[in-house]
């Protein structure tokens, strides 16, 4: 049995008032002792999870017909519909909360998190019609407030405060877009973390809502016409009663809404009823003449059409056909359009194409060694963002592709923003790192001058934390980037409590950005690592392809090898190593805990995709076939069934202490994934370590979650893994040698 360690000084320090914690002797902090000397924390009996006689037959390429049992199928039902599932959720939360309430230092963690989170945060400003719109959070507001100002130095006024929309902070301002003259603003409302959005229109001058209201919007841009008479958006048909949060998302269509009219009068722009799996999204070109129409069936690859809005009865011009590659509109010079594409360029390139000859592409910015992550057309220039070993690099080009300069960034970290208008040289960007919250900069693309626009006042010193990047080897000769961050006083001693975060999918790369939760883990003396696994896009499309479909095992190998690398570097050991991931990263944690349980002391799978045979039966799950494949394909069935977390829990042996987290209203990765995985874990003979599930209420996949809920959830997670990796939550960063 793995020996669980605690710390000698936990109970004494936990009683300290906030101002007293610095007086605690560093000689005590982090001194591990065998927890068997004190009464261990026990889990009450797990709630009973009813098993049903449910099985399905799949076609395997290697075995023919395969019968797969699914004894917890009933847990897929919506908690808002099924009384039995609601009762199961209540019982599981009671057991989990009883365990979490006993964890040493949990209240201290929550208190300190609130202190670290309590700094002023700004969103990037957006200029429209002489006005600037931006979000601001004073620190601990559950939701950020939208402000408007007539000039950067003018006094701002609050335009929308979503904190007044609900008593528990779970109704969020999910997005907004001002009209070209800045007089009106479309904004979207998100209830309880759901992906569904309701659109409303506000008069910026008066702050009053108009009568316009649009329902059943999801995964949609909002794009105004140049005259501000209305906007384009995408929505789905109204779901059947009781299926809004579980039914597949099909038949998305683009509509035009004219201001002052009812939604029933909105004009259909683009749909394909014969192919309901195709999604449609539209965005108006910079000068307002064209509608760029994107089509897709999943998360990878899109087609592009361009519609002339000024030509009567015009047909859309096909630019990119099919869904084999990815293309994004950058800008246009008359009928010459600029796109960021990976067609013929795994690292991406910027190409020009004329509407009169859409089959001919001309390189403007050719493919380079660093993958292009985005591009913007502003101030008569092109601003091109790339990743250089995961960290940001940004360069400015002329409209014809001549390099002007590289943007000087403050260091190793993440830059984002650079949006704007082709006729304005002003833009804004943010820069952050693992030890530095985002500061906002105003950038003049014509002169190259960069000035601080907003920088937060902090409750900590970033210089006390060290951020480094290293590389390790994984299967197939892959060289994997690894960011390691820790307090300056923490050094490798072979037993440092260490948390590895990973994702590894959908061409998403986890960057070294700032999060107060990560900082607190480091402040407590923990080591925080981010492994940039295959399946992301750290090195372009090839890196993504190396971690999806039949190559998915590479992602799990990379994560497991990250643990081995940190051990070999002398940082930690299996008794002190924890893993964390969300969504696709939750799948990662579940699969890796199954495959290498002996390597980890604790696991935090969050909102994970845990049933790889049925993920495409719910809401947005069908989009993920691009990355995962489908169990209906015999070749992919063998792959999916081979690593599906729900289907591969070990029959016996020691399993890491596991705290599963999900939300009862998650309609992206439906909570049935986590429910079934938890039930299977709890029914298996996986040792004495706890396997618990924490189910948040009125919170979805993550977007729009109020700060208060984020703090509570993080405190539970950190207290859990601190206890199971031997970290003193109140020991500060100075650890015993």
């Amino acid at each position: 049995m793995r020996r669980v360690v605690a710390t000698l000084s936990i109970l004494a320090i936990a009683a300290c008032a906030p101002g007293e914690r610095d007086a605690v002797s560093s000689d005590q902090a982090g001194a591990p002792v065998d927890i068997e000397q004190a009464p261990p924390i026990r889990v009450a009996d797990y709630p009973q999870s009813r098993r049903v006689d449910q099985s399905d037959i799949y076609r395997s390429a290697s075995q023919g017909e395969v019968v797969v049992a699914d004894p917890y199928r009933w847990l897929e039902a919506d908690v808002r519909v099924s009384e039995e599932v609601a009762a199961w959720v209540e019982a599981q939360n009671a057991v989990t909360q009883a365990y979490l309430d006993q964890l040493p230092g949990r209240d201290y963690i929550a208190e300190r998190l609130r202190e670290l989170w309590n700094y002023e945060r700004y969103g990037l400003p957006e200029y429209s019609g002489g006005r600037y719109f931006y979000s601001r959070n004073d620190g601990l507001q559950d939701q950020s407030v939208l402000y408007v100002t007539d000039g950067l130095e003018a006094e701002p006024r609050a335009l929308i405060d979503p904190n007044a929309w609900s008593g528990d902070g779970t109704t969020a301002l999910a997005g907004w877009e001002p009209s070209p003259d800045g007089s009106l603003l479309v904004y979207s409302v998100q209830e309880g973390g759901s992906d569904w959005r309701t659109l409303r229109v506000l008069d910026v001058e008066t702050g009053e809502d108009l009568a316009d209201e649009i329902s059943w919007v999801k995964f949609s841009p909002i794009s105004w016409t140049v005259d501000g008479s209305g906007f384009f958006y995408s929505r789905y048909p109204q779901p059947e009663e009781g299926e809004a949060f579980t039914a597949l998302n099909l038949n998305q269509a683009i509509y035009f809404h004219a201001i002052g009219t009812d939604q029933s009068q909105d004009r259909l722009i683009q749909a394909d009823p014969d192919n309901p799996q195709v999604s449609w999204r539209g965005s108006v070109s910079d000068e307002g003449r064209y509608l760029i129409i994107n089509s897709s069936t999943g998360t990878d690859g899109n087609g592009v059409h361009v519609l002339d809005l000024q030509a009567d009865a015009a047909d859309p011009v096909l630019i990119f056909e099919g869904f084999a590659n990815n293309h994004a509109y950058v800008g246009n010079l008359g009928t010459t359009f600029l796109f960021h594409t990976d067609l013929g360029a795994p690292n991406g390139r910027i190409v020009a194409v004329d509407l009169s000859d859409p089959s001919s592409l001309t390189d403007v910015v050719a493919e380079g060694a660093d993958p292009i992550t985005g591009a913007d057309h502003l101030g008569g220039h092109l601003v091109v963002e790339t990743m250089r070993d995961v960290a940001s690099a940004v360069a400015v080009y002329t409209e014809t592709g001549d390099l002007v300069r590289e943007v000087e960034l403050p260091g190793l970290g993440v830059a984002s923003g650079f949006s704007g208008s082709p006729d304005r040289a002003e833009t804004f960007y943010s820069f952050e790192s693992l030890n530095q919250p985002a500061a906002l900069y105003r950038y003049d693309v014509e002169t190259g001058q960069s000035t601080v626009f907003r920088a937060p006042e902090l409750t900590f010193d970033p210089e006390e934390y060290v951020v480094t990047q290293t590389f390790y080897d994984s299967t197939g000769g892959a060289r994997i980037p690894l960011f390691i961050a820790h307090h300056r006083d923490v050094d490798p001693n072979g037993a440092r409590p260490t948390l590895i975060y990973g994702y590894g999918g959908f061409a998403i790369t986890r960057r070294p950005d700032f999060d107060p939760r990560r900082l607190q883990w480091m402040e407590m003396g923990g080591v925080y690592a981010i492994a940039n696994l295959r399946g992301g896009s750290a090195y372009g499309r090839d890196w993504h392809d190396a971690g999806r479909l039949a190559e998915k095992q590479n992602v799990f190998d990379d994560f497991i090898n990250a643990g081995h690398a940190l051990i070999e570097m002398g940082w930690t050991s299996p008794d002190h190593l924890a893993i964390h991931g969300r969504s696709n990263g939750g799948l990662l944690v579940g699969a890796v805990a199954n495959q290498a349980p002996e390597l980890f002391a604790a696991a935090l799978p969050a909102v994970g995709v845990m049933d790889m045979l049925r993920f495409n039966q719910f809401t947005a799950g069908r989009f993920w076939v691009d990355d995962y494949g489908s169990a209906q394909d015999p070749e992919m069935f063998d792959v999916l069934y081979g690593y599906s977390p729900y289907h591969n829990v070990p029959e016996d042996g020691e399993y890491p202490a596991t705290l599963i987290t999900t939300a009862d209203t998650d309609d992206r990765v439906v909570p049935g994934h986590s429910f079934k995985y938890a039930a299977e874990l709890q029914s298996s003979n996986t040792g004495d370590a706890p396997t618990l599930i924490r189910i948040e209420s009125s919170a979805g996949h993550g977007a729009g979650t109020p700060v208060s809920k984020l703090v509570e959830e993080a405190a539970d997670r950190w207290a859990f893994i601190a206890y199971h990796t031997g970290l003193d939550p109140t020991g500060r960063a100075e650890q015993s040698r």
Side-chain angles (χ1 to χ4, degrees):
M1 176 179 175
R2 177 181 292 115
R3 183 172 67 88
V4 182
V5 295
T7 51
L8 183 64
S9 56
I10 286 177
L11 297 179
I13 303 174
C16 292
E20 297 175 314
R21 58 176 169 264
D22 290 329
V24 175
S25 168
S26 62
D27 292 334
Q28 291 180 320
V33 297
D34 196 325
I35 201 167
E36 292 174 1
Q37 296 178 5
I41 299 176
R42 300 291 187 190
V43 179
D45 291 340
Y46 297 123
Q48 286 294 315
S49 298
R50 179 172 61 90
R51 295 177 67 91
V52 299
D53 185 17
Q54 170 69 48
S55 61
D56 300 293
I57 298 175
Y58 293 89
R59 174 66 63 177
S60 162
S62 61
Q63 303 175 59
E65 286 190 352
V66 176
V67 178
V68 179
D70 189 2
Y72 302 112
R73 176 73 60 84
W74 62 276
L75 283 170
E76 293 177 352
D78 189 342
V79 69
R80 288 155 291 199
V81 175
S82 170
E83 292 183 3
E84 184 181 21
V85 174
W88 184 90
V89 166
E90 183 178 1
Q92 290 285 350
N93 271 339
V95 169
T96 298
Q97 198 58 52
Y99 186 90
L100 296 174
D101 285 345
Q102 299 177 70
L103 291 173
R106 192 265 174 215
D107 291 340
Y108 167 82
I109 294 173
E111 173 196 339
R112 181 58 179 149
L113 263 177
R114 281 187 283 270
E115 293 173 358
L116 291 172
W117 223 305
N118 193 14
Y119 66 93
E120 192 175 37
R121 301 183 295 281
Y122 286 85
L124 289 165
E126 182 171 341
Y127 175 86
S128 191
R131 289 173 163 145
Y132 291 88
F133 299 81
Y134 57 86
S135 63
R136 175 186 174 273
N137 192 303
D138 65 13
L140 292 177
Q141 288 176 293
D142 275 332
Q143 304 290 344
S144 295
V145 178
L146 180 64
Y147 286 82
V148 63
T149 180
D150 297 320
L152 282 182
E153 303 306 321
E155 187 69 22
R157 61 184 171 93
L159 195 58
I160 300 176
D161 183 359
N163 294 288
W165 289 349
S166 63
D168 60 0
T170 58
T171 304
L173 174 62
W176 46 270
E177 189 62 41
S179 61
D181 65 359
S183 64
L184 298 175
L185 181 127
V186 180
Y187 67 95
S188 61
V189 179
Q190 177 187 27
E191 301 272 0
S194 171
D195 280 334
W196 291 114
R197 305 288 188 264
T198 299
L199 303 184
R200 296 186 179 127
V201 181
L202 179 138
D203 184 308
V204 174
E205 187 63 36
T206 66
E208 299 293 327
D209 279 341
L210 306 184
D212 306 63
E213 185 171 303
I214 297 170
S215 302
W216 305 115
V217 176
K218 185 185 283 194
F219 311 136
S220 172
I222 304 299
S223 194
W224 285 90
T225 56
V226 69
D227 61 0
S229 62
F231 54 86
F232 297 91
Y233 70 96
S234 299
R235 72 171 177 88
Y236 291 92
Q238 181 173 342
E240 297 292 330
E241 183 70 25
E243 296 184 359
F245 302 101
T246 56
L248 283 172
N249 300 145
L250 298 168
N251 285 301
Q252 189 183 43
I254 302 173
Y255 288 85
F256 173 74
H257 175 77
I259 297 300
T261 65
D262 188 80
Q263 180 175 1
S264 62
Q265 299 176 326
D266 289 356
R267 178 161 51 95
L268 177 64
I269 302 298
Q270 184 69 56
D272 190 353
D274 293 334
N275 294 286
Q277 75 279 8
V278 178
S279 300
W280 298 94
R281 295 165 300 280
S283 299
V284 177
S285 61
D286 290 326
E287 89 293 7
R289 175 165 181 171
Y290 300 97
L291 184 70
I292 294 88
I293 299 173
N294 287 289
S295 57
S296 64
T297 57
T299 58
D300 187 57
N302 65 289
V304 178
H305 292 75
V306 174
L307 175 65
D308 189 340
L309 297 174
Q310 296 181 8
D312 293 335
D315 292 324
V317 176
L318 177 63
I319 305 296
F320 296 106
E321 185 174 13
F323 311 117
N325 291 92
N326 297 280
H327 322 281
Y329 169 76
V330 176
N332 64 293
L333 305 168
T335 61
T336 298
F337 282 72
L338 304 175
F339 287 94
H340 169 208
T341 180
D342 62 14
L343 177 62
N347 278 354
R349 56 179 174 150
I350 310 300
V351 299
V353 55
D354 197 274
L355 292 184
S356 64
D357 185 14
S359 62
S360 179
L361 305 180
T362 303
D363 276 3
V364 177
V365 178
E367 179 185 26
D370 300 325
I372 296 174
T373 60
D376 291 276
H377 184 205
L378 53 100
H381 294 77
L382 301 177
V383 177
V384 179
E385 300 171 58
T386 61
M387 279 191 293
R388 191 167 295 161
D389 286 331
V390 184
S392 289
V394 184
V396 178
Y397 295 83
T398 67
E399 291 175 327
T400 55
D402 295 323
L403 178 63
V404 177
R405 74 181 78 87
E406 285 211 4
V407 178
E408 293 185 14
L409 299 177
L412 183 73
V414 183
S416 58
F418 297 102
S419 64
S421 170
D423 56 4
R424 283 178 57 83
E426 178 189 66
T427 187
F428 297 87
Y429 71 92
S430 68
F431 184 84
E432 59 190 306
S433 187
L434 281 166
N435 63 338
Q436 178 66 57
L440 271 55
Y441 297 82
R442 182 180 180 272
Y443 185 73
D444 188 312
V445 72
E446 185 67 40
T447 65
Q449 183 179 10
S450 186
T451 55
V452 175
F453 172 62
R454 295 285 187 272
E457 295 184 8
L458 306 179
T459 58
F460 67 94
D461 181 3
E463 295 302 316
E464 291 183 356
Y465 299 88
V466 177
V467 180
T468 58
Q469 186 185 40
T470 187
F471 299 84
Y472 64 92
D473 294 330
S474 189
T475 52
R479 181 172 176 264
I480 312 298
L482 181 70
F483 286 96
I484 302 174
H486 55 86
H487 194 275
R488 189 170 295 280
D489 291 336
V490 170
D491 58 8
N493 71 352
R496 296 297 183 195
T498 300
L499 177 61
I500 316 173
Y501 187 86
Y503 189 79
F506 298 97
I508 294 171
T509 298
R510 291 308 184 199
R511 314 288 294 278
D513 52 3
F514 181 79
D515 189 312
R517 293 166 288 194
R518 297 171 177 174
L519 189 82
Q520 194 194 6
W521 176 254
M522 294 185 278
E523 183 184 78
M524 295 189 299
V527 177
Y528 192 88
I530 300 176
N532 296 116
L533 318 170
R534 283 173 285 185
S537 57
Y539 298 105
R541 186 178 182 90
D542 291 345
W543 196 254
H544 176 211
D545 289 343
R548 68 185 184 109
L549 299 175
E551 306 300 321
K552 188 69 174 178
Q553 183 59 42
N554 286 334
V555 181
F556 310 139
D557 292 345
D558 292 352
F559 205 48
I560 291 169
N561 285 325
H564 287 302
L566 287 161
I567 292 169
E568 291 169 4
M569 292 174 199
W571 281 108
T572 191
S573 71
D575 282 343
H576 304 280
L577 186 57
I579 49 177
H580 182 207
R582 298 187 76 260
S583 195
N584 175 74
L587 155 65
L588 168 71
V589 170
V592 163
N594 287 344
Q595 293 181 16
E598 74 288 345
L599 186 60
F600 310 108
L604 297 173
V607 293
V609 188
M610 299 306 199
D611 184 343
M612 299 309 297
L613 303 186
R614 288 179 55 77
F615 71 86
N616 57 348
Q617 305 300 308
F618 305 99
T619 60
R622 68 176 185 84
F623 300 129
W624 313 333
V625 171
D626 283 351
D627 238 60
Y628 298 146
S630 167
Q632 285 66 52
D633 175 350
E635 296 284 348
M636 287 309 304
F637 167 80
D638 289 337
V639 175
L640 294 166
Y641 192 39
Y643 71 75
S644 177
Y646 172 51
H647 298 98
N648 288 278
V649 172
E651 294 183 3
D652 52 37
E654 297 296 315
Y655 205 79
T658 302
L659 178 62
I660 305 160
T661 51
T662 187
D664 60 5
T665 56
D666 189 344
D667 56 356
R668 181 84 58 85
V669 179
V670 293
H673 282 280
S674 293
F675 294 175
K676 292 164 63 175
Y677 173 62
E680 183 64 26
L681 265 178
Q682 291 175 356
S683 69
S684 301
N685 183 24
T686 52
D688 295 331
T691 54
L692 301 170
I693 182 167
R694 182 191 189 279
I695 305 156
E696 186 62 82
S697 61
S698 299
H701 198 60
T705 303
V707 167
S708 56
K709 284 184 180 288
L710 294 175
V711 168
E712 293 299 312
E713 182 180 58
D716 287 343
R717 283 180 176 150
W718 281 186
F720 184 83
I721 62 171
Y723 180 75
H724 289 285
T725 61
L727 177 67
D728 180 351
T730 55
R732 308 292 285 174
E734 180 64 31
Q735 300 290 292
S736 60
R737 296 297 195 263

